[in-house]
Amino acid sequence: MQIQFRPIKKVLIANRGEIALRLVRACHEMGITPVAVYSDADRAALHVLEADEAYRLGPAPASESYLRGDLLLDIARRTGADAIHPGYGFLSENADFAEACEQAGIKFIGPPAAAMRELGSKTRARQAADRAGMPRTPGSTKGLASLDEARSVAAQIGYPVMLKAAAGGGGKGMRAVTRDEDLKSAFEAAQSEAERAFGSSEVYLEKLIERPRHIEIQVLADEHGNSIYLGERECSVQRRHQKVIEEAPSAVVSPELRQRMGEAAVRLAQSAGYTNAGTIEFLLDNAGNFYFLEMNTRLQVEHPVTELVTGLDLVHLQIRIAQGEPLPLRQQDIELRGHAIECRVYAEDPDNGFFPSPGKITRLVQPGGPGIREDSGIYEGWVVPMDYDPMLSKLVAYATTREAAITRMLRALDEYVIGGIRTNLAFFRRILRDPDFQAARIDTGYLERLLAQPAPKCPDISTEERERVAAIAAAIFESQRPAATTAAATQSANAWKSAARAEGLR
Amino acid sequence: MQIQFRPIKKVLIANRGEIALRLVRACHEMGITPVAVYSDADRAALHVLEADEAYRLGPAPASESYLRGDLLLDIARRTGADAIHPGYGFLSENADFAEACEQAGIKFIGPPAAAMRELGSKTRARQAADRAGMPRTPGSTKGLASLDEARSVAAQIGYPVMLKAAAGGGGKGMRAVTRDEDLKSAFEAAQSEAERAFGSSEVYLEKLIERPRHIEIQVLADEHGNSIYLGERECSVQRRHQKVIEEAPSAVVSPELRQRMGEAAVRLAQSAGYTNAGTIEFLLDNAGNFYFLEMNTRLQVEHPVTELVTGLDLVHLQIRIAQGEPLPLRQQDIELRGHAIECRVYAEDPDNGFFPSPGKITRLVQPGGPGIREDSGIYEGWVVPMDYDPMLSKLVAYATTREAAITRMLRALDEYVIGGIRTNLAFFRRILRDPDFQAARIDTGYLERLLAQPAPKCPDISTEERERVAAIAAAIFESQRPAATTAAATQSANAWKSAARAEGLR
Amino acid sequence: MKVEIEIAGRTRVVDFTRGEQTASVDGVAIPVEARLLRPGVLSLIVDGRAWRVILEESASETAVLIGGERIPHSVNDPRSLKARRAHASGADGPRPIKASMPGRVVRVLAQPGDAVVAHEGIVVIEAMKMQNELKSPKQGKVAEIRV
Amino acid sequence: MKVEIEIAGRTRVVDFTRGEQTASVDGVAIPVEARLLRPGVLSLIVDGRAWRVILEESASETAVLIGGERIPHSVNDPRSLKARRAHASGADGPRPIKASMPGRVVRVLAQPGDAVVAHEGIVVIEAMKMQNELKSPKQGKVAEIRV
């Protein structure tokens, strides 16, 4: 087929937070006009501040704002946007929305609706995997019609098994089953949970892989039939099936394995007529066998680690593909260099059951310097809303080796201060100092095991010394209190002097 | 010779500003204890805040603080530092200080004193260039004994010629001479200026190259006799012989030319027994001939652009070399990928003759996101002292191509706000938008020519629209004035409401 | 001036004199050089060691952040409201639980009068797409629940 | 409220009413949505276009930064000291020159009573290793020099 070049001049960014800002930046870099949208909770967000145009969607709840495809299309038409970038989450994997965009003559920056439907359902994706000759976990490729069918499949592949929702994601509608006796209750529980969560009770059954690593392959496909893979990301460090740390490349993936996984991923994408950026997720067992898990038909949160080791910009490439351009790279042009690690900084309290912690950021000191990239949408004074995902920032460290990337990330974490709300910064320090993580002895169960152990005391500095310093600091802050917010105190040539002034006031 | 591994555990950082902070970071990343020093003007500087130890040197003037080698050695001894990193400027090219360090048993992270002496004097360096069979500008290789000698050399190489101070740098003691009649006055002026600036009146004479590009080669040499080059940097965008923008690679250096220049540079370093990081500067004429200019026996301000295109960390490598480690890389491991551009952000006012502009930074919004690295030592509230070089920050953009790096840098410059003092941020926007810069039609005279032209009006936005928006904003700020500094104003759900409040107060 | 600071259940007496470069902690003198960079950000040099100390104040507690560690403390100062609050929330006596964040109350697990043990769930709150339990800080009896 | 703003020698009347999402400039109404993110940093949406506006206040002038451009202005407000200062420094009448920065005075090029043309050097100041001339802002006569 002959695809002609359709230049994109204005992009509506149908998202919020760090990814919306990252998309605004990419548009500016490409001479494209970025149009931001915002809910009432995001009027003061950076993606609104930095965009060229901005329009209100509605109240804070996503269902009344960022999920309102109709409003988004209205705004796109009104402002004359020729494309919409969905980011991740929200409408990014909604085939109906992608279709509505195409019908409105507005380019959806992502795969065609048909490919999204084909690969969006886990059962249909498993069928596609079979057609593409890609290894997958043993088990059913269709929804289970009955408990009896579940029984027979389980007997056939052997326990332990995993029940999963076909429409699933984020661990919902998932049940691990180790013995036949438990299958009935688990089957029913998974069905009802799936019904509630995704409006579909379809569940299927697959062999449970012991201590698997989560390895995913980034693919790019243009509209001229060219597809390439950009190596893998390892996302084994997870909590409640949510990724916490991602890295590229994986410490255990050899060039040969990378090629086999990459070629399988490309086959799957092509078999489904996939275009633009996508990610194929695999489980890797400790024997080095990989099994297809699912495909994410969008840009991933963790795409920066791939950008750093390949030297490419995935968003720029997404937009160029959407313009009908052929891929500017062939597979042999892709070369991985160095190592990148990403920490997902969340507004949550690890010391208190990872309790969410929205609220005002009263103090912000962000790290910088060599090899540090941060994608975030926060600033000092920003009030983190309670209405959305609690991710504050993606802190990424790049260095020549994995070891150097870890020590660099630790350095950046030590520089980082987010005051006023609780975050998981200290939790990352603990993980990055853990010998198992440093030796890359990780799997999807690693973090739960680490959390089961008591947290080690911080090394180097003695508690006594730290508490002495804390006492001195606390006393000085106390002495400053009356003057603390005045410019005078900030500029005070010497804290003692202003302490004196402060006392004088009493 | 047999060099054994001498692990470095504590490094005294004999510098200030962004480079001191960059060195503190490198130490933290390598598990080394960084010791900061500060003058009275720098007590509140970030390199002090982030270091593990910090000691006062003396009053603000460099001659009483950062140039006091004796104090630095005392502190190093007292705190048990096993090495000193001089950064750039200050004592970094002072052979006597390097010698004093060695005598004190403290490793000077840089070349041996002998090599510094050999290559520090421009005339002796030119002799070394001849021995290394490296092309240089025609002219004398010794100080000119008399005006007559100057006359004969000039006649021999032909006008126009350049008079230069042997101990020179930064354009001081330099005179371009186009006709014999002007030689006498220029010779005397150059001599006295050199005497005043460097305490040596030695001047030499070389052929003036028309419209040269400034191309420099980064070299690394370990103490086992291995030397490599890390490609070139182009620093042709200069003002008053000061670099303003640097990039890597150069748009006009072919792989073949890179190899010839690189190998010549390595030969020179080896002939002088050079170790650690160094830079050989060349002039490149428009016929593609290169001429040795001088060698900088230290880390360069602009080293980050080389780090980004090679994926290496030069400071880490400097420290490893100083520890007696062999280079972890061979020449064939060095590969350039993508393009990096650095802007030197200065506290100066381009609209007012580049008048220096120290003072308090009242507002700071720093850029970030993909491909942006910033090495700086500033923060909101920091008072930029008048006692030192006015460089505030090194803003570096990396992308796959030069074009993409330029648009990315423009994006970052648009995000960047430094309030309270004047900076050259807008000046960089002008340069990066200039067709000649974009086409890499640059030489060391480029910037002066650009400055001779009237500044073009900013594109895209009409003056009328901008002034209307400015008027609205000014009115809103005015309405906020009484409440402006209170937290209430910041948090105000809506500027109107607090405007109302503000009015109510009147 | 003399300030009493309570850290990790221990009271420390910090005494420093204006202009002088030393302070004493529990009677022991130490060389101290302090500089407030901006409100809440303190550069402290104690006997040659450099520290970045950040002040963290919330409705519930005051703390300083040092080298990534969060150190809650209270100031024993009759003038200081914080001190009184800190004492009020000691191990003994009634202890209020406040939701550390806004959210929707999903379930109430305990009733006034119920005896609860430490870390027993009292109320379930949902925010940021997650449900979380507000737990009892100590053993005791639920006095009242306001939702 | 009504505010008169002088920009580039032209006076503009901005009128906005609390709570309403429109403002009028010189009598022309425009949809405006404003939010102050922190002191001096304003997010302004004017008829769908988004602007980041930064307030820049110095002893000598008030300006806003928009899209990298610096736009000095003054507020014609009897209550505003700035307005008076702005008027004082018009093209006519005496115009003071202040060194925009601290530094060492190296040379004084003009004497009181000297006639000078615009941009003529008056005083040479050295700071940050550079010598710089303080130039006359306009043609006229040097009244006095205080160094």
Side-chain angles (χ1 to χ4, degrees):
Chain A
M1 85 213 133
Q2 189 48 279
I3 303 289
Q4 84 282 33
F5 176 68
R6 307 171 303 268
I8 290 174
K9 296 186 187 58
K10 187 183 274 195
V11 172
L12 183 138
I13 294 162
N15 215 303
R16 64 175 300 280
E18 66 85 19
I19 191 62
L21 180 60
R22 191 250 182 282
L23 296 172
V24 166
R25 285 169 163 159
C27 287
H28 282 150
E29 290 167 357
M30 296 178 77
I32 294 169
T33 303
V35 180
V37 291
Y38 60 93
S39 75
D40 291 339
D42 279 335
R43 171 62 185 91
L46 288 187
H47 74 280
V48 177
L49 184 71
E50 298 292 344
D52 291 12
E53 299 181 27
Y55 297 93
R56 176 181 180 271
L57 277 170
S63 56
E64 300 174 58
S65 52
Y66 299 106
L67 289 172
R68 287 288 302 276
D70 54 338
L71 295 179
L72 289 164
L73 281 170
D74 286 347
I75 293 168
R77 280 194 211 87
R78 194 169 5 128
T79 186
D82 32 43
I84 291 181
H85 197 305
Y88 52 71
F90 295 125
L91 293 172
S92 60
E93 296 186 280
N94 183 314
D96 297 342
F97 179 65
E99 205 158 57
C101 291
E102 298 303 337
Q103 277 155 11
I106 294 165
K107 181 68 179 181
F108 177 86
I109 300 176
M116 287 169 78
R117 293 212 172 84
E118 176 78 5
L119 299 163
S121 150
K122 292 191 176 182
T123 42
R124 294 178 60 190
R126 282 166 69 80
Q127 297 162 27
D130 288 349
R131 285 198 301 280
M134 163 142 74
R136 57 162 173 84
T137 50
S140 49
T141 58
K142 289 192 263 48
L144 296 164
S146 66
L147 176 60
D148 294 346
E149 186 182 348
R151 279 236 163 70
S152 62
V153 176
Q156 177 194 321
I157 62 176
Y159 288 93
V161 298
M162 201 76 165
L163 282 161
K164 284 187 178 175
K172 284 214 174 64
M174 247 166 90
R175 289 284 184 288
V177 186
T178 53
R179 351 170 273 162
D180 185 73
E181 302 87 295
D182 307 338
L183 188 58
K184 183 170 185 300
S185 59
F187 181 64
E188 286 152 1
Q191 275 189 322
S192 56
E193 191 172 314
E195 178 64 46
R196 263 184 281 107
F198 315 108
S200 150
S201 66
E202 181 185 0
V203 298
Y204 67 100
L205 199 149
E206 65 180 26
K207 179 99 183 130
L208 184 142
I209 310 294
E210 312 267 8
R211 291 204 166 196
R213 287 171 176 263
H214 176 113
I215 308 285
E216 59 187 31
I217 298 286
Q218 176 71 55
V219 296
L220 282 177
D222 65 22
E223 299 176 352
H224 304 263
N226 312 308
S227 310
I228 59 174
Y229 60 91
L230 305 184
E232 79 284 2
R233 293 182 289 257
E234 170 150 17
C235 317
S236 299
V237 179
Q238 304 182 356
R239 202 186 131 259
R240 292 188 187 172
H241 305 284
Q242 296 290 327
K243 296 163 183 170
V244 174
I245 294 179
E246 303 99 343
E247 56 187 303
S250 163
V252 298
V253 171
S254 66
E256 176 273 331
L257 178 58
R258 178 173 301 125
Q259 184 178 353
R260 279 195 291 124
M261 294 179 81
E263 286 169 355
V266 164
R267 274 200 309 278
L268 178 69
Q270 285 180 320
S271 74
Y274 194 87
T275 64
N276 215 288
T279 296
I280 290 96
E281 299 187 332
F282 296 94
L283 293 181
L284 185 71
D285 68 21
N286 40 32
N289 308 306
F290 61 91
Y291 307 91
F292 170 70
L293 195 58
E294 64 179 90
M295 177 158 188
N296 294 312
T297 60
R298 51 163 167 87
L299 188 69
Q300 298 275 91
V301 172
E302 59 270 25
H303 74 276
V305 293
T306 297
E307 293 183 319
L308 287 167
V309 296
T310 59
L312 302 173
D313 188 302
L314 290 180
V315 173
H316 284 221
L317 289 165
Q318 278 193 299
I319 292 173
R320 292 178 62 179
I321 289 170
Q323 289 184 143
E325 291 182 57
L327 276 172
L329 305 134
R330 294 145 308 154
Q331 189 60 54
Q332 59 267 36
D333 300 326
I334 305 304
E335 202 184 83
L336 307 186
R337 179 164 87 181
H339 196 92
I341 299 178
E342 172 179 284
C343 291
R344 294 192 188 188
V345 181
Y346 281 107
E348 63 185 16
D349 185 358
D351 303 334
N352 184 11
F354 293 89
F355 207 99
S357 176
K360 183 176 184 181
I361 296 174
T362 55
R363 208 100 54 204
L364 185 62
V365 181
Q366 286 170 293
I372 295 300
R373 164 178 168 181
E374 186 177 15
D375 284 18
S376 79
I378 62 176
Y379 59 90
E380 194 167 288
W382 165 242
V383 178
V384 181
M386 57 164 280
D387 310 274
Y388 314 106
D389 175 281
M391 189 167 76
L392 295 171
S393 166
K394 292 166 0 189
L395 184 61
V396 192
Y398 173 83
T400 49
T401 65
R402 185 173 189 268
E403 295 62 35
I406 289 173
T407 54
R408 176 159 281 171
M409 179 65 86
L410 280 166
R411 184 271 292 175
L413 288 166
D414 286 339
E415 287 179 21
Y416 212 152
V417 174
I418 302 178
I421 58 176
R422 299 304 179 89
T423 71
N424 55 353
L425 286 171
F427 180 52
F428 284 118
R429 273 190 216 94
R430 179 181 172 189
I431 299 171
L432 269 66
R433 288 203 193 100
D434 178 54
D436 284 335
F437 179 83
Q438 292 184 346
R441 285 188 297 266
I442 49 178
D443 59 67
T444 56
Y446 159 76
L447 204 49
E448 305 296 346
R449 293 196 299 277
L450 183 73
L451 283 167
Q453 301 158 23
K457 267 274 127 245
C458 167
D460 29 288
I461 311 156
S462 81
T463 311
E464 165 55 23
E465 181 174 17
R466 186 184 282 104
E467 287 181 5
R468 197 188 313 120
V469 172
I472 296 168
I476 292 169
F477 280 127
E478 180 65 14
S479 73
Q480 295 265 326
R481 198 169 293 288
T485 55
T486 72
T490 328
Q491 296 165 347
S492 69
N494 180 310
W496 302 132
K497 294 201 190 65
S498 44
R501 273 200 303 281
E503 269 214 312
L505 295 175
R506 292 181 175 144
Chain B
M1 82 214 135
Q2 189 48 284
I3 303 290
Q4 86 280 31
F5 176 68
R6 309 171 302 268
I8 290 173
K9 296 187 188 56
K10 187 182 273 196
V11 171
L12 183 138
I13 294 163
N15 215 302
R16 65 175 300 279
E18 67 84 18
I19 191 63
L21 180 59
R22 191 251 182 280
L23 295 172
V24 166
R25 286 170 162 158
C27 287
H28 282 148
E29 290 168 356
M30 297 178 78
I32 294 169
T33 303
V35 179
V37 290
Y38 60 92
S39 76
D40 292 338
D42 279 335
R43 172 62 185 90
L46 289 186
H47 74 279
V48 176
L49 184 71
E50 299 292 344
D52 292 11
E53 299 181 28
Y55 297 92
R56 175 181 181 273
L57 277 171
S63 56
E64 301 174 58
S65 52
Y66 299 106
L67 288 173
R68 285 289 301 276
D70 54 339
L71 295 179
L72 289 163
L73 281 169
D74 286 347
I75 293 169
R77 279 196 212 85
R78 192 168 6 127
T79 186
D82 31 43
I84 291 181
H85 198 304
Y88 52 71
F90 296 125
L91 294 171
S92 60
E93 296 186 280
N94 183 314
D96 297 342
F97 179 65
E99 205 159 58
C101 291
E102 297 303 337
Q103 277 155 10
I106 293 165
K107 181 69 180 180
F108 177 86
I109 300 176
M116 286 169 77
R117 292 210 174 84
E118 176 78 6
L119 299 163
S121 148
K122 292 190 176 183
T123 42
R124 294 179 58 191
R126 283 166 68 83
Q127 296 162 25
D130 289 349
R131 285 197 301 280
M134 164 141 74
R136 56 161 174 85
T137 50
S140 49
T141 58
K142 289 193 266 41
L144 297 163
S146 66
L147 177 59
D148 293 346
E149 186 183 347
R151 279 240 161 66
S152 64
V153 176
Q156 178 195 322
I157 62 175
Y159 288 92
V161 297
M162 201 75 166
L163 282 162
K164 285 187 179 178
K172 284 217 173 60
M174 248 166 87
R175 289 284 185 288
V177 185
T178 51
R179 351 172 273 164
D180 186 73
E181 303 87 293
D182 306 339
L183 188 59
K184 181 171 186 303
S185 58
F187 181 66
E188 285 152 2
Q191 274 189 322
S192 57
E193 190 172 313
E195 178 63 49
R196 265 183 280 107
F198 314 108
S200 151
S201 66
E202 182 186 357
V203 298
Y204 67 100
L205 199 150
E206 68 181 24
K207 177 102 184 129
L208 183 140
I209 309 293
E210 311 268 8
R211 291 204 165 197
R213 286 171 177 264
H214 176 113
I215 308 285
E216 58 187 32
I217 298 286
Q218 176 70 54
V219 296
L220 283 177
D222 65 22
E223 298 176 352
H224 305 264
N226 311 307
S227 309
I228 60 175
Y229 60 92
L230 305 184
E232 80 284 2
R233 292 182 288 259
E234 170 150 16
C235 318
S236 299
V237 180
Q238 303 182 356
R239 203 187 129 260
R240 293 187 185 172
H241 305 285
Q242 297 290 327
K243 297 164 183 170
V244 173
I245 294 179
E246 303 99 343
E247 56 187 304
S250 163
V252 298
V253 172
S254 66
E256 174 275 332
L257 177 57
R258 178 173 301 124
Q259 183 178 353
R260 279 196 292 127
M261 295 178 80
E263 287 170 355
V266 163
R267 275 200 310 277
L268 178 69
Q270 284 181 321
S271 73
Y274 194 87
T275 64
N276 215 288
T279 297
I280 288 93
E281 299 187 332
F282 296 95
L283 292 181
L284 184 70
D285 68 21
N286 40 32
N289 308 305
F290 61 90
Y291 308 90
F292 171 70
L293 197 57
E294 65 179 86
M295 177 159 188
N296 293 314
T297 61
R298 52 165 166 87
L299 187 70
Q300 299 274 90
V301 172
E302 59 270 26
H303 74 276
V305 294
T306 297
E307 293 183 320
L308 287 166
V309 295
T310 58
L312 302 174
D313 188 302
L314 290 180
V315 174
H316 284 220
L317 289 165
Q318 278 192 299
I319 292 173
R320 292 177 64 178
I321 288 169
Q323 288 184 142
E325 291 181 58
L327 276 173
L329 307 133
R330 293 146 308 156
Q331 190 61 54
Q332 60 266 36
D333 301 325
I334 305 305
E335 204 184 83
L336 307 186
R337 179 164 88 181
H339 196 92
I341 299 178
E342 172 178 284
C343 291
R344 294 193 188 187
V345 182
Y346 281 106
E348 63 185 15
D349 184 359
D351 303 334
N352 184 12
F354 294 88
F355 208 99
S357 177
K360 183 176 185 183
I361 296 174
T362 55
R363 206 102 53 206
L364 184 62
V365 180
Q366 286 168 294
I372 295 301
R373 163 178 170 182
E374 186 178 15
D375 285 18
S376 79
I378 62 176
Y379 57 91
E380 194 167 285
W382 165 242
V383 179
V384 180
M386 58 163 282
D387 309 274
Y388 313 107
D389 175 280
M391 190 168 76
L392 296 170
S393 167
K394 294 172 349 193
L395 185 61
V396 193
Y398 173 83
T400 48
T401 65
R402 185 173 189 268
E403 295 63 33
I406 290 173
T407 54
R408 174 159 283 170
M409 179 65 87
L410 280 166
R411 184 270 293 175
L413 289 166
D414 286 339
E415 288 179 23
Y416 210 151
V417 175
I418 302 177
I421 58 176
R422 299 305 178 89
T423 71
N424 56 353
L425 287 172
F427 181 52
F428 284 119
R429 273 190 214 93
R430 178 181 172 188
I431 298 172
L432 269 67
R433 289 204 192 101
D434 178 54
D436 283 336
F437 179 83
Q438 292 184 346
R441 286 189 297 265
I442 49 178
D443 59 70
T444 56
Y446 159 75
L447 203 48
E448 305 295 347
R449 291 195 299 276
L450 183 72
L451 283 167
Q453 300 157 21
K457 266 277 127 238
C458 165
D460 27 289
I461 311 157
S462 80
T463 311
E464 164 54 25
E465 180 174 19
R466 185 184 284 104
E467 287 181 6
R468 197 187 314 122
V469 172
I472 295 167
I476 291 169
F477 279 126
E478 180 65 15
S479 72
Q480 295 263 328
R481 197 168 294 288
T485 55
T486 73
T490 327
Q491 296 162 349
S492 69
N494 180 310
W496 303 132
K497 293 200 190 66
S498 46
R501 272 200 301 282
E503 271 216 311
L505 294 177
R506 291 178 176 147
Chain C
M1 65 184 289
K2 224 191 192 80
V3 185
E4 282 191 7
I5 307 290
E6 197 175 311
I7 290 176
R10 189 170 147 202
T11 301
R12 292 167 170 277
V13 182
V14 181
D15 193 350
F16 56 88
T17 315
R18 56 205 64 170
E20 282 178 22
Q21 302 266 312
T22 63
S24 85
V25 179
D26 301 337
V28 184
I30 326 171
V32 171
E33 221 291 296
R35 178 70 61 102
L36 195 68
L37 271 52
R38 52 193 185 97
V41 180
L42 182 69
S43 169
L44 205 54
I45 303 176
V46 180
D47 202 6
R49 287 200 63 150
W51 305 86
R52 182 187 63 189
V53 189
I54 311 285
L55 178 65
E56 260 281 75
E57 290 183 291
S58 72
S60 52
E61 66 169 18
T62 300
V64 288
L65 304 178
I66 297 181
E69 299 275 309
R70 180 190 179 81
I71 303 176
H73 65 269
S74 61
V75 179
N76 295 351
D77 174 352
R79 295 165 309 199
S80 157
L81 206 170
K82 288 217 172 343
R84 283 194 298 284
R85 199 192 289 108
H87 285 301
S89 62
D92 307 328
R95 179 94 68 95
I97 322 174
K98 274 223 247 51
S100 63
M101 43 151 312
R104 260 173 307 292
V105 173
V106 182
R107 257 191 314 292
V108 178
L109 306 169
Q111 296 307 321
D114 291 3
V116 293
V117 299
H119 308 304
E120 183 173 335
I122 307 293
V123 175
V124 181
I125 287 187
E126 177 171 322
M128 287 174 155
K129 321 244 151 307
M130 279 184 260
Q131 295 195 357
N132 298 273
E133 279 190 358
L134 273 176
K135 293 186 167 56
S136 158
K138 50 178 261 192
Q139 185 180 22
K141 183 180 275 179
V142 179
E144 65 170 329
I145 297 180
R146 297 203 218 93
V147 294
Chain D
M1 65 184 289
K2 221 189 193 81
V3 185
E4 280 192 9
I5 307 291
E6 198 174 310
I7 291 178
R10 187 170 150 202
T11 301
R12 297 177 171 266
V13 182
V14 180
D15 194 349
F16 57 88
T17 315
R18 59 204 63 165
E20 282 178 25
Q21 303 268 309
T22 64
S24 86
V25 179
D26 301 336
V28 183
I30 325 170
V32 171
E33 223 289 297
R35 177 70 59 102
L36 194 69
L37 303 197
R38 53 193 186 94
V41 180
L42 182 69
S43 170
L44 205 53
I45 303 177
V46 180
D47 201 5
R49 287 200 64 153
W51 305 86
R52 182 187 64 188
V53 189
I54 310 284
L55 178 65
E56 261 279 75
E57 290 183 290
S58 72
S60 53
E61 66 171 17
T62 300
V64 289
L65 304 178
I66 298 181
E69 299 276 308
R70 178 189 182 82
I71 304 177
H73 65 268
S74 61
V75 178
N76 295 352
D77 174 352
R79 297 165 308 198
S80 158
L81 206 170
K82 291 216 172 332
R84 282 194 298 283
R85 197 190 292 110
H87 285 302
S89 62
D92 306 328
R95 179 96 67 96
I97 322 173
K98 274 222 247 47
S100 64
M101 45 154 307
R104 259 171 309 290
V105 173
V106 183
R107 256 190 317 291
V108 178
L109 306 170
Q111 296 310 320
D114 290 4
V116 293
V117 299
H119 309 303
E120 181 172 336
I122 307 293
V123 175
V124 180
I125 287 187
E126 176 171 322
M128 289 175 150
K129 323 244 151 307
M130 279 183 262
Q131 295 197 356
N132 297 274
E133 278 190 1
L134 272 177
K135 293 186 167 59
S136 159
K138 50 179 258 191
Q139 185 177 21
K141 183 180 273 174
V142 178
E144 65 171 329
I145 296 179
R146 295 205 218 91
V147 294

